[in-house]
Amino acid sequence: EEIGDYIQAGKHVLLGGSSGAGKTFPLKQICAARGLPCKLISANKNLTAEDLVAQPSIKGGTSCYTDGPLTHAMRHGYLLIFDEGDDIEDGEGLVLNDAMEAGTLTIPQTGEVVIAQPGFAIGFTSNSVGDELGLYNREGFDESLLQRCRKVIARPLTRVQEKNILLKLAHPSGETISADEADLLTKWAHATRPLHFGINGHDAALSQCPSTRVLTNAVEDWLGFNRQTGATHKGLKERHTDIRQAL
């Protein structure tokens, strides 16, 4: 609720927390629930300021520039989500400062000044922010970016919350998993997550955290569909007897 209010008010947010706590998916769900448009891009060390602002293109045989994701989000007024935003190099991320602070952006190649339209906001997700165990060590966000964001630390979903999410996933035919199958998956996830973070002084035994996304992927594979496209395929339930086989 708090994050949705920030986004709707055009405030920039940073959602931190460990892998599996739920960051990117909830941001998209919040936008969907409130009818707010959003776009997700993956941050990485190769993402440059030029990539974000304007990209060379050819139209009708003439060289021109097309809007990068930052410029496009400002021009059309929607939430731009940077997944693992602290992967952006500090020098390249400075272009975000004026966009976030003043709502303006100058395109160097053309000199055009773009003014952010209502609805524009930036959302960052990060494993390293709120990482008390130091599992996701990165250089971290530039302090100037941090000061322009409302920071919220995500906590892992409860079994009940995860179970409700899994039970809402439906094959195009309408078929869903059973409550018992949802229980099996969530019980497995909550039992194995400590093995990723390490418990009682022991080192971590799992390199990747069994996140909610892993569970939703298992449900899709079990029932045999792609929730993004609606396309169907032969589900694992036709060849196995236990939904945990989908994991």
Side-chain angles (χ1 to χ4, degrees):
E1 189 70 25
E2 180 182 17
I3 297 173
D5 290 343
Y6 283 151
I7 294 172
Q8 203 144 22
K11 295 182 181 293
H12 313 292
V13 297
L14 166 58
L15 192 54
S18 62
S19 176
K23 299 181 293 296
T24 306
F25 185 72
L27 275 180
K28 295 169 68 176
Q29 289 295 98
I30 289 169
C31 288
R34 298 198 178 204
L36 304 174
C38 67
K39 180 178 181 180
L40 172 69
I41 63 174
S42 295
N44 59 75
K45 298 295 184 184
N46 297 318
L47 188 64
T48 67
E50 185 176 352
D51 293 332
L52 292 170
V53 176
Q55 302 167 353
S57 182
I58 296 178
K59 186 175 183 179
T62 303
S63 297
C64 61
Y65 288 91
T66 58
D67 288 347
L70 174 60
T71 306
H72 193 273
M74 294 178 66
R75 201 187 295 278
H76 297 280
Y78 60 83
L79 176 69
L80 181 62
I81 304 171
F82 288 90
D83 192 26
E84 299 306 332
D86 51 350
D87 258 346
I88 303 174
E89 296 285 356
D90 287 351
E92 303 299 337
L94 291 177
V95 69
L96 299 171
N97 286 359
D98 283 344
M100 297 168 68
E101 182 74 22
T104 62
L105 175 68
T106 300
I107 301 177
Q109 297 89 340
T110 65
E112 179 189 1
V113 177
V114 179
I115 299 176
Q117 296 302 299
F120 168 70
I122 292 178
F124 298 100
T125 70
S126 169
N127 286 341
S128 63
V129 175
D131 172 28
E132 299 171 352
L133 298 177
L135 297 177
Y136 308 101
N137 287 324
R138 293 193 179 110
E139 292 182 10
F141 280 94
D142 179 84
E143 184 63 28
S144 61
L145 281 182
L146 283 176
Q147 293 179 4
R148 290 168 168 81
C149 294
R150 274 61 179 177
K151 185 172 70 173
V152 179
I153 304 300
R155 301 300 177 191
L157 298 176
T158 65
R159 280 192 63 189
V160 172
Q161 289 172 322
E162 279 196 319
K163 180 178 177 180
N164 288 336
I165 289 174
L166 300 184
L167 290 174
K168 289 179 181 178
L169 297 173
H171 187 278
S173 68
E175 182 182 8
T176 61
I177 62 172
S178 68
D180 286 342
E181 289 174 326
D183 273 332
L184 282 175
L185 291 182
T186 56
K187 182 178 181 180
W188 171 84
H190 282 256
T192 55
R193 279 175 190 149
L195 298 178
H196 171 68
F197 298 107
I199 55 175
N200 299 327
H202 294 286
D203 292 335
L206 290 179
S207 61
Q208 294 187 4
C209 184
S211 66
T212 304
R213 184 180 292 110
V214 170
L215 301 187
T216 58
N217 288 343
V219 172
E220 289 184 57
D221 290 343
W222 184 252
L223 297 178
F225 75 105
N226 182 330
R227 72 179 184 278
Q228 301 296 333
T229 66
T232 61
H233 57 85
K234 188 174 182 179
L236 293 180
K237 62 183 177 61
E238 298 182 27
R239 303 191 294 278
H240 300 286
T241 57
D242 189 321
I243 192 171
R244 287 173 294 190
Q245 293 288 333
L247 293 165

